[in-house]
């Protein structure tokens, strides 16, 4: 086995890429969602700002209507007689006309619920049925606090029938009895304002559990719904850091209405504001899901189209190393196909070079073997004749010693025949060829006596020149 390679596989790299892309999509969607939430907050604040400006304009118009109505009522001649004439009969003579005028003004301006006008030197006028003592105390406190105040202002009084205080409009009524000129004599009037009629808090967006409120100084004089103590504390601004009521987190928008010394507050639950962008959130979630699915499918396709061919190439290389295959399969991808094709060409070149090397090795082996065989044959050719001739010579000597002339002649002829056969020349002299023939006939005659007869016919001239005439050896 070769050395194990370290590093990430293509499949693992693609999986990491998919995880990073999914993380990027989640982060991008979260950031987009937060941006949409922030944008919704800004849009809400802008919308509420515009709404508050509209409300301020409406309230200014409403207060101008109240002030105008109070002037019409208090400077009505009948009311002037009641307030600044000390004659007891004057009250009875003028009260009917004042009530008629008050009914008319209530129809045109239904904001004033009750009115109390108190004059220290004359009679007092009260339009309601309850609360006269409370309003009387308010007038006395105003008279003690300010000596000869001018203009108009608001005050708040506790309301026994509601947790919210009453909004009271306080104004000065001057006497114009003496020839139409103002005198230093004046009365103090207070009018209870119907805040529900005064404030029309519509148009800033309606959210579930939303609270719209109107504050005069530090007193809450109006809420769009019934509120708890925690919610009232948030309206009063006593919990600035964490606006929580139970487990509900609120977002507060405050707009001061400076000209009329009022403050408009809107408390919106954060969850309601988030639900306002539910469509955006749903689109983001859907887009994120679609992108995740597409990324997953895309990555699986890449793994199938790239990782599997690479895995096949690795398997083919392992089988080639083990000798189970000779060529790599060509994958479908162009780049990987080029790699496999190049590897196959390299394998073919190596195989051809190996075959040539084997052929050259075989030829070298055969050449070397032939050389060795030739050397061996040369050694044999050198050894065998000497051994044969020495043996024949020994046998001839033994035949002579034992006096066997026929055997001696036979061995002499046999040795001559072998020497003639081992010669290297192809062309020999006539004398050598005739001597060879005689030796051969001698051996044949000894083997089969009187069976053969040798006759040699050679001319005298040829016989005389037998040693110089040449012929082909048979």
């Amino acid at each position: 086995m070769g050395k194990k390679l370290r590093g990430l596989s293509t499949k693992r790299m693609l999986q990491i890429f998919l995880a990073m892309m999914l993380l990027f999509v989640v982060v991008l969607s979260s950031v987009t969602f937060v941006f949409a939430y922030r944008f919704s907050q800004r849009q809400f604040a802008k919308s509420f700002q515009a709404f508050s400006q509209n409300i301020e304009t409406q309230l200014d118009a409403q207060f101008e209507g109240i002030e105008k109505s109070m002037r019409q009522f208090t400077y009505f001649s009948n009311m002037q007689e009641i307030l600044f004439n000390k004659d007891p009969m004057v009250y009875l003579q003028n009260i009917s006309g004042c009530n008629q005028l008050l009914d008319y003004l209530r129809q045109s301006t239904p904001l004033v619920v009750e009115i109390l006008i108190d004059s220290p030197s004359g009679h007092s006028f009260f339009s309601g049925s309850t609360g006269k003592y409370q309003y009387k105390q308010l007038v006395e406190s105003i008279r003690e606090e300010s000596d000869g105040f001018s203009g108009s202002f608001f005050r708040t009084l506790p309301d026994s029938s509601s947790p919210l205080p009453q909004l009271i409009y306080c104004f000065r009524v001057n006497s114009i009895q003496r020839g139409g000129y103002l005198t230093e004599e004046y009365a103090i009037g207070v009018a209870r304002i119907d805040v529900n009629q005064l404030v029309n808090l519509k148009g800033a967006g309606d959210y579930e559990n939303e609270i719209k409120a109107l504050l005069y100084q530090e007193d809450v004089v109006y809420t769009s719904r019934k509120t708890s103590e925690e919610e009232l504390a948030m309206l009063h601004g006593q919990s600035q850091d964490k606006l929580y009521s139970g487990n509900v987190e609120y977002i507060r928008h405050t707009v001061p209405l400076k000209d009329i010394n009022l403050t408009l507050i809107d408390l919106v639950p954060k969850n309601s504001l988030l639900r306002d962008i539910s469509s955006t959130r749903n689109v983001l979630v859907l887009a994120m899901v679609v992108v995740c699915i597409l990324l997953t499918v895309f990555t699986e396709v890449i793994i199938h189209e790239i990782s599997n061919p690479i895995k096949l190439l690795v398997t083919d290389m392992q089988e080639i190393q083990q000798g189970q295959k000779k060529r790599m399969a060509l994958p479908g991808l162009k780049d990987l196909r080029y790699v496999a094709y190049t590897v196959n060409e390299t394998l073919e070149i190596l195989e051809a070079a190996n075959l040539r090397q084997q052929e050259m090795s075989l030829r070298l082996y055969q050449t070397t073997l032939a050389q060795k065989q030739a050397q061996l044959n040369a050694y044999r050719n050198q050894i065998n004749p000497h051994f044969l001739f020495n043996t024949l010579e020994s046998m001839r000597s033994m035949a002579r010693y034992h006096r066997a002339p026929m055997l001696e002649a036979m061995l002499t002829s046999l040795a001559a025949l072998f020497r003639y056969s081992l010669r290297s020349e192809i062309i020999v002299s006539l004398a050598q060829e005739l001597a060879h023939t005689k030796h051969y006939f001698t051996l044949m005659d000894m083997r089969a006596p009187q069976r053969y007869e040798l006759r040699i016919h050679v001319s005298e001239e040829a016989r005389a020149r037998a040693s110089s005439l040449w012929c082909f050896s048979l």
Side-chain angles (χ1 to χ4, degrees):
M1 295 295 293
K3 184 179 179 180
K4 186 177 181 180
L5 298 177
R6 295 185 178 181
L8 295 175
S9 63
T10 304
K11 183 177 181 180
R12 181 63 63 185
M13 184 67 72
L14 292 174
Q15 290 175 347
I16 295 175
F17 167 76
L18 175 62
M20 293 179 63
M21 289 299 297
L22 292 178
L23 179 62
F24 173 75
V25 170
V26 172
V27 172
L28 180 61
S29 300
S30 301
V31 171
T32 306
F33 179 73
V34 172
F35 173 77
Y37 171 67
R38 297 292 185 187
F39 177 77
S40 177
Q41 276 190 312
R42 290 194 296 269
Q43 288 296 106
F44 173 77
K46 186 182 295 184
S47 174
F48 185 76
Q49 186 74 24
F51 163 75
S52 63
Q53 293 175 357
N54 183 34
I55 289 296
E56 184 175 13
T57 303
Q58 295 178 22
L59 289 177
D60 285 336
Q62 296 278 29
F63 289 138
E64 288 179 1
I66 295 173
E67 187 177 359
K68 181 179 180 181
S69 298
M70 291 300 99
R71 282 199 305 267
Q72 291 177 356
F73 181 66
T74 55
Y75 291 101
F76 182 51
S77 60
N78 296 64
M79 180 57 65
Q80 286 284 314
E81 289 290 338
I82 291 175
L83 294 176
F84 300 106
N85 195 324
K86 298 181 180 179
D87 186 357
M89 297 302 295
V90 173
Y91 180 84
L92 297 176
Q93 294 173 358
N94 295 282
I95 190 65
S96 175
C98 291
N99 287 330
Q100 291 178 2
L101 178 59
L102 181 61
D103 291 338
Y104 172 77
L105 293 177
R106 282 178 174 175
Q107 292 178 2
S108 60
T109 309
L111 299 175
V112 179
V113 179
E114 295 176 339
I115 299 176
L116 185 143
I117 305 174
D118 182 68
S119 175
S121 59
H123 304 103
S124 296
F125 176 83
F126 180 62
S127 64
S129 58
T130 60
K132 181 178 180 179
Y133 177 74
Q134 188 178 20
Y135 300 145
K136 191 77 172 178
Q137 284 184 329
L138 176 61
V139 170
E140 292 177 356
S141 64
I142 293 173
R143 197 180 298 275
E144 293 176 358
E145 291 173 1
S146 58
D147 185 13
F149 77 94
S150 60
S152 60
F153 56 90
F154 288 93
R155 286 287 181 90
T156 57
L157 283 177
D159 191 351
S160 59
S161 62
S162 173
L164 301 179
Q166 303 174 10
L167 182 63
I168 306 299
Y169 177 66
C170 305
F171 55 94
R172 174 174 171 162
V173 182
N174 296 311
S175 175
I176 56 173
Q177 289 291 315
R178 297 180 182 179
Y181 293 97
L182 295 176
T183 65
E184 295 181 357
E185 199 174 15
Y186 69 92
I188 297 177
V190 293
R192 179 185 173 187
I193 305 301
D194 187 355
V195 183
N196 292 326
Q197 290 290 333
L198 178 67
V199 181
N200 183 18
L201 299 178
K202 299 292 183 181
D206 295 323
Y207 300 94
E208 185 179 358
N209 295 323
E210 180 184 12
I211 303 175
K212 295 185 178 72
L214 191 66
L215 274 71
Y216 174 74
Q217 295 181 352
E218 297 297 329
D219 296 327
V220 179
V221 296
Y222 171 84
T223 58
S224 59
R225 66 171 177 84
K226 188 177 180 179
T227 57
S228 63
E229 294 182 0
E230 293 179 346
E231 292 170 341
L232 283 176
M234 290 188 293
L235 291 173
H236 282 291
Q238 298 176 4
S239 55
Q240 295 287 345
D241 297 333
K242 296 182 179 180
L243 298 178
Y244 282 95
S245 177
N247 295 326
V248 180
E249 181 181 1
Y250 284 85
I251 299 173
R252 182 170 67 181
H253 295 279
T254 303
V255 177
L257 310 177
K258 298 180 181 180
D259 295 339
I260 51 181
N261 200 20
L262 293 174
T263 302
L264 192 63
I265 297 177
D266 198 359
L267 290 177
V268 180
K270 186 176 181 180
N271 293 334
S272 298
L273 188 61
L274 290 176
R275 281 194 293 270
D276 188 51
I277 58 172
S278 59
S279 59
T280 304
R281 178 181 58 189
N282 294 335
V283 171
L284 288 176
V285 172
L286 180 61
M288 184 178 68
V289 171
V290 172
V291 170
C292 291
I293 294 175
L294 292 177
L295 284 176
T296 304
V297 173
F298 178 69
T299 305
E300 289 298 327
V301 171
I302 291 179
I303 291 175
H304 182 269
E305 295 296 329
I306 296 180
S307 179
N308 290 347
I310 292 177
K311 184 178 180 180
L312 180 61
L313 291 179
V314 173
T315 302
D316 289 346
M317 289 297 296
Q318 292 175 349
E319 291 180 354
I320 290 174
Q321 290 178 350
Q322 296 173 0
Q324 299 177 2
K325 293 181 67 175
K326 292 185 177 181
R327 296 292 182 273
M328 298 178 66
L330 298 178
L333 292 178
K334 182 179 179 180
D335 297 338
L336 297 180
R337 190 179 185 88
Y338 174 76
V339 172
Y341 181 78
T342 304
V343 172
N344 287 338
E345 283 188 340
T346 305
L347 291 175
E348 291 177 357
I349 293 173
L350 293 176
E351 185 177 0
N354 188 29
L355 289 175
R356 288 195 298 269
Q357 184 178 5
Q358 290 180 357
E359 291 177 357
M360 292 177 63
S361 298
L362 180 60
R363 291 177 182 176
L364 180 61
Y365 173 76
Q366 292 176 348
T367 302
T368 304
L369 183 61
Q371 291 177 354
K372 297 297 183 181
Q373 186 65 37
Q375 291 178 358
L376 181 60
N377 292 334
Y379 292 145
R380 287 178 177 176
N381 291 334
Q382 293 176 2
I383 295 173
N384 291 339
H386 292 289
F387 177 76
L388 179 61
F389 295 148
N390 292 335
T391 302
L392 292 175
E393 182 63 26
S394 298
M395 292 174 65
R396 189 182 66 78
S397 299
M398 291 177 65
R400 176 177 291 183
Y401 177 78
H402 291 286
R403 295 177 180 175
M406 293 183 63
L407 181 59
E408 180 182 2
M410 185 175 181
L411 292 172
T412 300
S413 298
L414 182 61
L417 287 176
F418 278 117
R419 285 193 180 91
Y420 187 80
S421 298
L422 293 175
R423 73 187 185 283
S424 58
E425 297 85 358
I426 299 177
I427 301 174
V428 297
S429 63
L430 180 59
Q432 291 175 342
E433 187 66 21
L434 291 175
H436 174 67
T437 303
K438 291 179 179 179
H439 288 302
Y440 179 77
F441 180 76
T442 301
L443 290 175
M444 296 303 294
D445 185 56
M446 288 182 180
R447 290 176 57 192
Q450 297 181 357
R451 187 174 179 181
Y452 301 99
E453 180 180 358
L454 177 62
R455 294 180 182 180
I456 298 175
H457 299 281
V458 181
S459 63
E460 291 297 333
E461 183 181 2
R463 190 181 296 274
R465 299 174 54 193
S467 57
S468 59
L469 292 177
W470 300 91
C471 63
F472 289 97
S473 174
L474 301 178

